[in-house]
């Protein structure tokens, strides 16, 4: 398609980090600590210090016939080049009619969950990885196609001083979107209702940063049983973020940061009308004893002012 014909901006795409993602952006004396790709019996794994991760390109099946979908591939040779190469990605976008694209990580976790887990034992290594990922993502991935690939930064959320510093560093590079867990407590972090996050809300509001919360970055979408068909899980997986949506909606900080906004990424939209109907009903029936204060608004109005949704196709 021609550029003038394209109007769609996809706010929930994914990138498979190429093998040199981290090493290239680590300090010279720390490159041996960087995550890297290694082959084991024909499958390529990410290896980071003493941990092996089977996430090279798991399920990156774009370009295949749907009858060939599965939990593959496990090596870069099995993937379409556009999964990990920015020039090839833009060529695919041109064919597909996509003007712009926001890309969540793969190996690193949609909100940097791999780094968050690493920080529990090796915070210095985790911080180096976050910075290296952001440098690769901004300068190489998005820098390879300015205006087409839209930066989405990770944050070292276990360290508030470093988080604010990284927010400011990314803002100076023109980044306006950050990945954030839909429920931080699932990763051992404070809940969104905790004052720990106040510097993040302030910085995002001040810098014009939008929080992008992808499904699966908090509590994993539940699978009813080991006998339940995967089709059932796929059916309800996106709307599993509705629990997080309610948690964010009833958070007390929105009125303090009128310009703060967040996105429910890959969550779909079909369930939203019921959630808002239920939220308004709950407020009307219970706020006199729960003491919830939405000012002069209904919960649904706060939702529409601060929370962005995206449909899936």
């Amino acid at each position: 398609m021609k550029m003038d014909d394209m109007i769609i901006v996809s706010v929930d795409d994914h990138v498979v980090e190429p093998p040199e993602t981290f090493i290239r952006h680590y300090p010279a004396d720390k490159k041996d600590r960087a995550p890297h790709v290694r082959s084991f019996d024909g499958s390529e794994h990410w290896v980071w210090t003493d941990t092996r991760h089977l996430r090279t390109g798991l399920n990156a099946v774009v370009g295949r016939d749907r009858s060939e979908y599965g939990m593959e591939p496990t090596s870069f040779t099995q993937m379409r080049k556009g999964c990990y190469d920015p020039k090839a990605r833009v060529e695919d976008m041109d064919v597909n009619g996509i003007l712009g694209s926001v890309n969540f990580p793969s190996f690193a976790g949609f909100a940097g969950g791999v780094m968050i887990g690493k920080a529990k034992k090796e915070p210095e290594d985790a911080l180096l990885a976050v910075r290296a990922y952001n440098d690769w993502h901004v300068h190489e991935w998005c820098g390879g196609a300015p205006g087409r690939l839209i930066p989405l930064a990770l944050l070292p959320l276990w360290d508030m001083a470093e988080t604010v510093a990284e927010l400011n560093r990314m803002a100076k590079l023109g980044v306006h979107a950050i990945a954030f867990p839909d429920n931080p407590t699932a990763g051992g972090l404070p809940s969104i209702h905790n004052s720990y996050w106040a510097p993040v809300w302030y910085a995002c509001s001040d810098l014009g940063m939008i929080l992008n919360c992808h499904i699966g970055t908090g509590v994993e979408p539940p699978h009813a049983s080991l006998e339940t068909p995967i089709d059932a899980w796929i059916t309800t997986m996106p709307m599993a973020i509705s629990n997080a949506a309610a948690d964010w909606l009833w958070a007390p900080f929105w009125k303090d940061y009128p310009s703060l906004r967040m996105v429910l990424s890959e969550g779909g939209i079909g369930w939203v009308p019921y959630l808002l109907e239920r939220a308004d009903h709950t407020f009307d029936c219970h706020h006199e004893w729960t003491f919830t204060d939405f000012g002069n608004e209904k919960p649904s109005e706060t939702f529409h002012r601060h929370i962005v949704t995206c449909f899936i196709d």
Side-chain angles (χ1 to χ4, degrees):
M1 295 180 68
K2 297 179 180 179
M3 280 288 291
D4 290 342
D5 296 329
M6 290 187 282
I7 61 172
I8 297 174
V9 176
S10 176
V11 296
D12 174 38
D13 289 330
H14 296 261
V15 57
V16 177
E17 302 91 337
E20 299 298 315
T21 293
F22 297 92
I23 293 176
R24 263 204 292 265
H25 297 279
Y26 260 57
D29 62 340
K30 298 272 178 48
K31 290 187 183 293
D32 62 323
R33 304 289 296 176
H36 58 280
V37 173
R38 190 183 302 172
S39 182
F40 296 88
D41 299 322
S43 294
E44 292 172 328
H45 299 233
W46 280 98
V47 178
W48 190 9
T49 58
D50 60 348
T51 308
R52 187 201 302 185
H53 302 263
L54 181 57
R55 298 187 100 170
T56 301
L58 201 62
N59 211 37
V61 293
V62 62
R64 299 187 185 188
D65 187 273
R66 289 180 179 176
S67 63
E68 297 179 6
Y69 282 10
M71 296 308 290
E72 299 167 355
T74 57
S75 70
F76 285 92
T77 58
Q78 297 172 337
M79 277 181 273
R80 189 172 179 85
K81 193 175 180 181
C83 291
Y84 55 86
D85 179 88
K87 183 178 183 297
R89 173 63 68 90
V90 171
E91 291 172 352
D92 287 346
M93 290 165 61
D94 289 345
V95 173
N96 213 25
I98 303 298
L99 177 64
S101 175
V102 176
N103 288 263
F104 286 86
S106 294
F107 157 69
F110 301 153
V114 171
M115 286 79 154
I116 292 170
K118 185 66 130 180
K120 294 174 182 177
K121 292 185 178 180
E122 299 169 309
E124 182 183 355
D125 281 318
L127 179 59
L128 285 170
V130 167
R131 290 174 176 166
Y133 176 88
N134 286 340
D135 286 338
W136 166 80
H137 185 78
V138 173
H139 296 298
E140 295 190 44
W141 179 253
C142 297
R148 302 295 300 278
L149 298 173
I150 302 166
L152 176 72
L154 302 180
L155 297 174
L157 298 174
W158 60 90
D159 186 318
M160 186 51 63
E162 294 292 354
T163 290
V164 173
E166 193 66 6
L167 274 167
N168 282 281
R169 188 173 81 93
M170 290 294 101
K172 290 176 181 177
L173 294 175
V175 177
H176 295 283
I178 61 168
F180 196 88
D182 67 56
N183 180 3
T185 62
L189 298 167
S191 82
I192 60 171
H193 306 280
N194 194 289
S195 60
Y196 173 81
W197 298 112
V200 173
W201 313 149
Y202 177 83
C204 286
S205 182
D206 185 54
L207 298 170
M209 294 279 199
I210 189 164
L211 300 151
N212 293 260
C213 300
H214 196 282
I215 60 170
T217 53
V219 177
E220 291 291 332
H223 200 132
S225 75
L226 293 177
E227 296 178 317
T228 300
I230 193 171
D231 312 69
W233 182 73
I234 294 171
T235 299
T236 60
M237 178 175 57
M239 70 182 80
I241 204 172
S242 61
N243 287 325
D247 198 32
W248 283 87
L249 175 58
W250 292 90
F253 51 73
W254 294 116
K255 57 181 175 291
D256 298 324
Y257 306 99
S259 63
L260 183 63
R261 302 180 82 196
M262 57 92 67
V263 182
L264 299 171
S265 302
E266 203 175 313
I269 58 177
W271 51 269
V272 173
Y274 172 73
L275 179 81
L276 299 186
E277 176 192 11
R278 179 67 181 174
D280 286 347
H281 173 77
T282 299
F283 178 75
D284 184 54
C285 291
H286 299 288
H287 76 274
E288 291 174 326
W289 69 271
T290 62
F291 306 108
T292 305
D293 180 15
F294 278 90
N296 296 320
E297 289 188 335
K298 296 179 179 180
S300 59
E301 292 172 318
T302 295
F303 185 99
H304 288 307
R305 186 185 306 277
H306 295 282
I307 300 178
V308 182
T309 57
C310 65
F311 68 89
I312 305 170
D313 180 50

